[in-house]
Amino acid sequence: MTETVLLEEELSYTVDALGSPKVWRTGHDAGELVPSQCVYGYVWTCLGEASGEVFAIPEFSEPDRRNMNAATIGVNVSAPRAIENFLDMGHFPYVHTDILGVEPHTEVKEYDVEISIENDEILATRCRFFQPMASQASGGGADVEYIYRVPHPFCSVLYKSSPVDDKRMDVIAVFLQPVDQEHIRAHMMLSVLDEDNDDKSIRLFQQTIFGQDKPILENQFPKRLPLDPRAETPIRADKSAITYRRWLSRKGITYGVIPAAA
C-alpha cells in the first residue's frame, strides 16, 4: 500500500499482480473507493465522477520504444505554472545552457498554436529550436522540431525530433499531481527511441533538465497562474502560454490559478 495526496485529499492505493489498481480515501471519508486505472505505467484516479478514458499517447504502445518514468519530483509551485514553463522554449539557452539551447541561438521562431475543438486540447506545431544536445542519444547540435500537446489542464505531452530516426519523434510527457494549490508532484514519462544508452543514462539526462527548471519554477511569483491577460506582459514567443491561459479560463479551471476579474 502507498499513501499520497491529491488535491488536498489523503489517498492510499495498491496495484495487484495483473496491474489492476485500487484507490481509496484515507481522510475523513476513510475507505471510500474512487475510480482508478493504470495507464502509461502510472495510477490515475478521479475524486469525482470519472468522465472518460485517459488521453491517448499511441507511441507508448510501439514495441521498439523505451518507456519509463524518468523522475517524480516535488515542486513548490502550482500545476498550471509548471505546465506553462514546460511550454516555454524561450528559456532554453539561459536555463539549459549547452544542452537545450545556447547563445546566440536565442530566437523563438514563429510557430502555430491552436485549440482543437474535436479533442479539447491545445496543439502547438512548427516549433523549432537549435539545441546542442537534444537528448542522451544526440551526436551533436541540431535544429530540433517540437510539437506540444496539452490534453489536460495539468498534463502536457512533448514530441521532439528523434536523433536516431528522422521519420519519428521521441515523446516526453509531464503528468502533474497537484498536492495542493501551490505544490505538485511532477511525474515525467519517456517514450523514446534509443538502443544505445541504458535506462540510468536516459533518466539522468531528463533529471538534469528538470533539476535546472525546479529552482526557476519555485521562484515564480505568484505561484498560482494569473489568468487575467493584464496581470503579466506576454511577448510574441509566449503564444502557447497565452492560449493555455485562455483555455483554462474557458474551461472554468480555478485550482492553482488566479482567475481573471469578472
Side-chain angles (χ1 to χ4, degrees), residues 86 88-103 105-106 128-136 138 142 144 146 148 158 160 172 205-206 208-210 212-213:
F86 190 70
D88 174 35
M89 292 181 288
H91 76 284
F92 287 171
Y94 310 106
V95 178
H96 308 301
T97 308
D98 296 329
I99 305 176
L100 299 186
V102 66
E103 295 186 74
H105 304 278
T106 59
R128 299 194 69 85
F129 209 89
F130 177 81
Q131 298 190 332
M133 188 176 180
S135 74
Q136 185 64 23
S138 297
V144 177
Y146 274 52
Y148 289 95
L158 166 66
K160 64 185 296 186
I172 303 170
F205 181 87
Q206 295 300 331
T208 298
I209 299 300
F210 202 100
Q212 293 170 339
D213 279 322

Side-chain angles (χ1 to χ4, degrees), residues 137-204:
S138 297
D143 259 350
V144 177
E145 180 183 0
Y146 274 52
I147 297 173
Y148 289 95
R149 284 178 64 201
V150 186
H152 180 282
F154 303 151
C155 298
S156 187
V157 184
L158 166 66
Y159 301 83
K160 64 185 296 186
S161 304
S162 167
V164 300
D165 189 334
D166 59 9
K167 294 182 176 60
R168 301 166 71 192
M169 305 184 89
D170 286 335
V171 180
I172 303 170
V174 287
F175 306 140
L176 301 183
Q177 173 187 341
V179 175
D180 59 31
Q181 296 262 18
E182 297 183 356
H183 294 82
I184 61 171
R185 297 185 76 218
H187 307 280
M188 182 177 294
M189 189 278 289
L190 302 182
S191 184
V192 299
L193 300 163
D194 188 339
E195 296 181 350
D196 297 326
N197 294 287
D198 60 22
D199 288 358
K200 182 178 180 180
S201 299
I202 295 172
R203 286 193 177 99
L204 180 59

